Amino acid sequence: MSDLVDLLLEGLPPQAVATDPDVTAAYRQDMAGFCASGVPAVVVHPTTVEQVQHVMRTATRLRVPVVPQGARTGLSGAANAVDGCIVLSLTRMDRILDLDPVNRTATVEPGVVNAALSRAAGEYGLSYPPDPSSWETCTIGGNIGTGSGGLCCVKYGVTAEYVLGLEVVLADGRLLHTGRRTAKGVAGYDLTRLFVGAEGTLGVVVRAVLALRPAPAPQLALAAEFPSAGAACDAVCAVMASGHTPSLMELMDRTTVRAVNAMARMGLPETTEALLLVAFDTPDPAADLAAVAELCRTAGATEVVPAEDAAESELLLQARRLALPALERLGTNMIDDVAVPRSQLAALLDGVAAIAERQGLTIGVCAHAGDGNSHPVVVFDAADPAAAARARESFDAIMALGLELGGTITGEHGVGLLKKEWLARELGPVGVELQRGIRSVFDPLGILNPGKVV
Amino acid sequence: MSDLVDLLLEGLPPQAVATDPDVTAAYRQDMAGFCASGVPAVVVHPTTVEQVQHVMRTATRLRVPVVPQGARTGLSGAANAVDGCIVLSLTRMDRILDLDPVNRTATVEPGVVNAALSRAAGEYGLSYPPDPSSWETCTIGGNIGTGSGGLCCVKYGVTAEYVLGLEVVLADGRLLHTGRRTAKGVAGYDLTRLFVGAEGTLGVVVRAVLALRPAPAPQLALAAEFPSAGAACDAVCAVMASGHTPSLMELMDRTTVRAVNAMARMGLPETTEALLLVAFDTPDPAADLAAVAELCRTAGATEVVPAEDAAESELLLQARRLALPALERLGTNMIDDVAVPRSQLAALLDGVAAIAERQGLTIGVCAHAGDGNSHPVVVFDAADPAAAARARESFDAIMALGLELGGTITGEHGVGLLKKEWLARELGPVGVELQRGIRSVFDPLGILNPGKVV
């Protein structure tokens, strides 16, 4: 270990290398529960591409595993340390290098915080749409590594759709340029996209060219109450089938609504089985909302309440953003992330309710309903081993149901450690073999974030 | 060769196997000039996934190269046969298997013609945006293989952005499922995207799940005349910097305008140096066009003519669609496809004019200006070897300039044979090595479309 630190210090300043166990312990894990984490040998905080290259060359030379980390807000254990590893924290590489309104691009280092980029883009009348719940703290590098989504995806898509080009330090320390700065390009295989969602297993992203969009108009939202999750999902399908594209379409079940009220006294309607929030940032959002209100009533909504203005709309969105923190206050959480074709969302939610009943557990559901992406949150008492076992069973049963309904085990949180066994079920043996083959091309020694993804 | 045919006939009906040299000769090449093509041993026309698997298993067993083909409308030689190969034509797998307005997806076989899908989607109030010039004849499989674009990309993006999931027959005949039917998904490395633009070198796409969008409103267009290409590009930058998103923004230079008039008597203004077409499909296109007209005048437009209605707008678009056929009538063509950051488009076009002058050649330019993607068309007399050599030099000089300006050698036509040497210059040695490594994972024997891409 002393060899390792000595070699690292040949290319890193002392303040970039931490070995104090009290310090390094803080870098053991991300925000996923139920995932193993090891004890890092050392945590490094490079500030330049060259320093990252030095770290990877050293790791290759000594065959030491490297776990890249952003803000550790991930929910799949992808950033968890393994014993004896170098934790490679990218948070100090946090410069926005370029913002270009003509080409609508931003060039950033990986440690830039999502919200910092959004705000900087806003000063040019632009926006960076991907908005995971952790957007005030999570980093662009982490967003790329996990392929994160957010509330905006139903209209604006996910992180992958905004990554044009990358600079990546490979396992052996060489620098790879992928992609482009242009609006289009088909020169060779799309390596850029391969790194998005790869959770740091193929290389370390040290620079990204991102696409920006013109800043949208403020959203106007409505809240609709439904007597069942199925009825709310019918409304979602009707809205999408009729050609509308909301900027947000979110569902919260009764458990989630009550939890949010308990946490923040939002005054949400507690008797409803499912609350649907729909917003538009179109030129005439009131007209679009009126059409959606009608579709909601036809689908069985008992109450439809349009927000008066953008401020009231923002309050509704705020309620939705509180869903996960609010559910966390009910007990220990396992947050699932199953996406199904949106026409199957009702079947998924009915199935989740049946699982909760069978297991005698609370499962609160919030969903990016417009994407068919739901986050069933299994709530349980971690001090009770039987309850914990039932929670894990429920969590797995939800993924099995998602696959059965033509969906995926992860819409936006990633695989990491949490869903690694399930990935093989989704991909099948041919897919797994090819994914392993690709990983070997990039990291023949297997030192990059070992044990994650495939 | 008789062995090969006998084995193929074990899993294919006789009418799906052609060996008559007069027939197979028609399958030697796509629409790219200046690319070598070999003589196929046999052309097969499977109609089922199982038949494609049989073809690939046979090819693997006998180590025979396979060249997958769609409608052969490609412009890079990617579909050109090699001596002794199996040409695997997918045009008879042309079923639209599913159109789903709730999930906004289409599931198709690779031989479906682009326009057929567009029309079928239209019946559900949906659209499939990618619209390459050859859309009336080119196939979805070919579009995926080449990663094709079109006129719509400035607002709606390229083929890659519409491919959600694939079924692919691998080199050894195994079937791979990639991606998803859901709006989101981050389960493992993005193999789907790897196949887009891979020109059939990684596997044979036999089924695709595509994203659809609500059908847009009819476009309203304007035409603006500029005294120089640079002034037109200034207008393009001003439009994009001011937050507008046109549904189309195309540029034609004087050579192109004259060629179109000569072919179709369109009455386009022949004295202008650059004609810019801009269209919107927004709720109030007239207002957006008025704002753009003002920006054009500020950038130096001498004349701005808005179309009266959708029909007149369609005529303007029709003129643009005739650009390449019209230039073809002037002589033999080499069509380039360089994309640069849109702020560099003026520099690219100035450079192209300088190259034309230096080489004493006509180079007509049409460009997807909003994407920074230009198609300089080098026109020359193929009977004159010196002119042909100068044409090739010009073609290469344009790519070199594109790279110098931070661009790519191909925005939407692909690499194929035509730009293979240039790909290495764009990717660099590290990129090439990794791309080759990925290819070996999918096709260790090197039987899939050998000699193309990397």
Side-chain angles (χ1 to χ4, degrees):
Chain A
M1 201 225 277
S2 156
D3 254 12
L4 169 61
V5 172
D6 287 348
L7 277 170
L8 287 170
L9 284 168
E10 285 178 14
L12 289 166
Q15 71 273 19
V17 180
T19 52
D20 179 340
D22 289 345
V23 174
T24 60
Y27 292 84
R28 283 186 61 160
Q29 53 203 26
D30 63 22
M31 289 179 66
F34 303 89
C35 291
S37 70
V39 179
V42 55
V43 175
V44 295
H45 291 95
T47 53
T48 68
V49 173
E50 294 68 27
Q51 289 176 0
V52 176
Q53 292 184 279
H54 174 73
V55 171
M56 293 312 306
R57 276 193 293 261
T58 304
T60 288
R61 185 166 153 194
L62 301 182
R63 306 285 194 271
V64 176
V66 175
V67 178
Q69 283 184 354
R72 296 190 315 284
T73 54
L75 294 167
S76 73
N80 282 15
V82 297
D83 280 334
C85 76
I86 302 170
V87 163
L88 175 51
S89 172
L90 282 311
T91 52
R92 290 188 199 165
M93 293 179 70
D94 62 352
R95 290 178 303 161
I96 297 173
L97 301 167
D98 181 52
L99 262 171
D100 180 339
V102 169
N103 294 304
R104 295 184 183 166
T105 53
T107 306
V108 304
E109 292 185 329
V112 169
V113 168
N114 181 298
L117 175 60
S118 295
R119 279 191 271 270
E123 285 173 30
Y124 291 82
L126 294 166
S127 75
Y128 176 69
D131 60 344
S133 302
S134 54
W135 73 300
E136 289 283 3
T137 49
C138 65
T139 64
I140 296 296
N143 295 170
I144 292 172
T146 56
S148 52
L151 301 186
C152 74
C153 308
V154 62
K155 180 164 182 179
Y156 295 108
V158 295
T159 298
E161 294 167 55
Y162 293 87
V163 185
L164 297 177
L166 295 171
E167 282 180 33
V168 181
V169 174
L170 298 173
D172 60 11
R174 288 183 301 169
L175 191 62
L176 169 71
H177 298 257
T178 76
R180 54 201 160 84
R181 309 184 58 83
T182 53
K184 283 160 150 179
V186 286
Y189 307 134
D190 190 343
L191 299 189
T192 304
R193 192 69 169 244
L194 212 47
F195 286 100
V196 180
E199 300 181 344
T201 60
L202 301 181
V204 182
V205 171
V206 290
R207 196 160 292 191
V209 181
L210 304 171
L212 303 175
R213 296 180 67 103
Q219 297 187 90
L220 205 61
L222 65 70
E225 301 174 31
F226 289 88
S228 68
C233 293
D234 288 349
V236 169
C237 292
V239 169
M240 298 307 282
S242 65
H244 292 282
T245 301
S247 50
L248 170 145
M249 186 145 55
E250 295 289 321
L251 183 150
M252 291 192 278
D253 72 351
R254 181 150 65 163
T255 304
T256 307
V257 165
R258 287 184 177 182
V260 170
N261 275 347
M263 180 176 176
R265 300 173 194 278
M266 303 287 288
L268 299 174
E270 300 213 347
T271 55
T272 188
E273 283 300 317
L275 187 69
L276 189 66
L277 306 180
V278 185
F280 286 91
D281 58 7
T282 48
D284 189 356
D288 291 313
L289 286 179
V292 164
E294 199 44 47
L295 292 168
C296 285
R297 284 190 202 100
T298 305
T302 51
E303 194 82 56
V304 182
V305 186
E308 294 284 316
D309 51 31
E312 218 177 285
S313 300
E314 186 46 45
L315 263 184
L316 285 174
L317 273 51
Q318 200 52 41
R320 167 59 185 88
R321 288 209 188 89
L322 290 179
L324 292 186
L327 287 166
E328 262 174 31
R329 293 159 59 116
L330 302 186
T332 302
N333 282 1
M334 287 195 85
I335 304 165
D336 225 323
D337 173 41
V338 170
V340 292
R342 65 175 72 90
S343 57
Q344 299 290 348
L345 188 59
L348 181 74
L349 299 190
D350 285 349
V352 168
I355 291 165
E357 175 146 354
R358 196 165 62 237
Q359 298 279 6
L361 285 167
T362 297
I363 305 184
V365 174
C366 54
H368 308 305
D371 297 323
N373 185 195
S374 79
H375 296 310
V377 178
V378 186
V379 182
F380 63 102
D381 177 0
D384 172 358
R390 292 205 310 280
R392 178 77 219 195
E393 261 177 61
S394 305
F395 184 81
D396 289 350
I398 293 167
M399 284 191 281
L401 179 60
L403 289 179
E404 219 173 274
L405 295 170
T408 172
I409 57 164
T410 174
E412 57 181 13
H413 291 174
V415 174
L417 293 169
L418 193 63
K419 299 190 164 181
K420 207 180 138 189
E421 277 92 55
W422 282 86
L423 183 66
R425 276 179 73 162
E426 177 163 341
L427 297 182
V430 180
V432 168
E433 180 187 317
L434 290 168
Q435 301 231 350
R436 289 208 175 116
I438 288 170
R439 187 169 180 161
S440 295
V441 168
F442 285 85
D443 180 20
L445 300 175
I447 61 170
L448 266 170
N449 211 2
K452 316 295 166 57
V453 196
V454 282
Chain B
M1 198 225 276
S2 156
D3 254 14
L4 169 61
V5 173
D6 288 347
L7 277 171
L8 286 170
L9 284 168
E10 284 177 16
L12 288 166
Q15 72 273 17
V17 181
T19 53
D20 178 340
D22 289 345
V23 174
T24 60
Y27 293 84
R28 283 186 62 162
Q29 52 202 27
D30 64 21
M31 289 178 67
F34 303 89
C35 291
S37 70
V39 178
V42 55
V43 176
V44 296
H45 291 96
T47 53
T48 68
V49 172
E50 293 69 26
Q51 290 176 0
V52 175
Q53 292 184 277
H54 174 73
V55 171
M56 293 312 305
R57 276 193 293 261
T58 305
T60 288
R61 186 166 152 194
L62 300 182
R63 307 284 196 270
V64 176
V66 175
V67 178
Q69 282 184 355
R72 297 191 313 285
T73 53
L75 294 168
S76 73
N80 282 15
V82 297
D83 280 335
C85 76
I86 302 170
V87 163
L88 175 52
S89 172
L90 282 311
T91 52
R92 291 190 198 164
M93 293 180 70
D94 62 353
R95 288 178 304 161
I96 297 174
L97 301 167
D98 182 52
L99 262 171
D100 180 340
V102 169
N103 294 304
R104 294 185 184 166
T105 54
T107 307
V108 303
E109 293 185 328
V112 169
V113 168
N114 181 297
L117 174 60
S118 296
R119 280 191 271 269
E123 286 173 29
Y124 291 83
L126 295 166
S127 74
Y128 176 69
D131 61 345
S133 302
S134 55
W135 73 301
E136 289 282 3
T137 49
C138 65
T139 64
I140 296 296
N143 294 171
I144 292 171
T146 56
S148 51
L151 302 185
C152 73
C153 307
V154 62
K155 180 163 182 179
Y156 295 107
V158 295
T159 297
E161 294 168 54
Y162 293 88
V163 185
L164 297 177
L166 294 172
E167 283 181 32
V168 181
V169 174
L170 298 172
D172 59 11
R174 287 184 301 170
L175 191 61
L176 169 71
H177 298 256
T178 75
R180 54 202 161 84
R181 310 184 59 84
T182 54
K184 283 160 149 179
V186 286
Y189 306 134
D190 190 344
L191 299 190
T192 305
R193 193 66 169 245
L194 212 47
F195 285 100
V196 180
E199 300 181 344
T201 60
L202 301 181
V204 182
V205 171
V206 289
R207 196 160 292 191
V209 180
L210 304 171
L212 303 176
R213 295 180 68 104
Q219 298 186 89
L220 204 61
L222 64 70
E225 301 173 32
F226 290 88
S228 69
C233 293
D234 288 348
V236 169
C237 292
V239 169
M240 298 306 282
S242 65
H244 292 282
T245 301
S247 50
L248 171 144
M249 186 146 55
E250 296 288 320
L251 183 151
M252 292 192 277
D253 72 351
R254 181 149 66 163
T255 303
T256 307
V257 164
R258 288 184 177 181
V260 170
N261 276 347
M263 181 177 176
R265 300 173 193 277
M266 303 287 288
L268 300 173
E270 300 213 345
T271 55
T272 187
E273 283 301 316
L275 187 70
L276 190 66
L277 306 180
V278 185
F280 285 92
D281 58 7
T282 46
D284 189 355
D288 291 313
L289 286 180
V292 164
E294 200 43 47
L295 292 167
C296 285
R297 283 191 203 98
T298 304
T302 50
E303 194 82 57
V304 182
V305 186
E308 294 283 316
D309 51 30
E312 217 177 285
S313 298
E314 185 47 43
L315 263 184
L316 284 174
L317 273 50
Q318 200 52 42
R320 167 59 186 88
R321 288 209 188 89
L322 289 178
L324 292 186
L327 287 165
E328 263 174 30
R329 292 158 59 116
L330 302 186
T332 302
N333 282 0
M334 286 195 85
I335 305 166
D336 224 322
D337 172 42
V338 169
V340 291
R342 64 175 73 90
S343 56
Q344 298 290 347
L345 188 59
L348 181 74
L349 299 190
D350 286 349
V352 168
I355 291 166
E357 176 147 352
R358 196 165 61 239
Q359 297 280 4
L361 285 167
T362 298
I363 304 183
V365 174
C366 54
H368 308 305
D371 297 323
N373 184 196
S374 79
H375 297 308
V377 178
V378 185
V379 182
F380 63 102
D381 177 1
D384 173 356
R390 292 205 310 279
R392 178 77 219 195
E393 262 177 60
S394 305
F395 185 82
D396 289 350
I398 293 167
M399 284 191 282
L401 180 60
L403 290 180
E404 220 173 88
L405 294 170
T408 172
I409 57 164
T410 175
E412 56 180 14
H413 291 173
V415 174
L417 293 169
L418 194 63
K419 299 190 164 183
K420 207 180 139 189
E421 276 91 55
W422 282 86
L423 183 66
R425 275 178 73 162
E426 177 163 341
L427 297 182
V430 180
V432 168
E433 181 188 317
L434 290 167
Q435 301 233 348
R436 289 208 175 116
I438 288 171
R439 186 169 182 162
S440 295
V441 169
F442 286 86
D443 180 20
L445 300 176
I447 60 170
L448 267 170
N449 212 3
K452 316 294 165 57
V453 196
V454 283

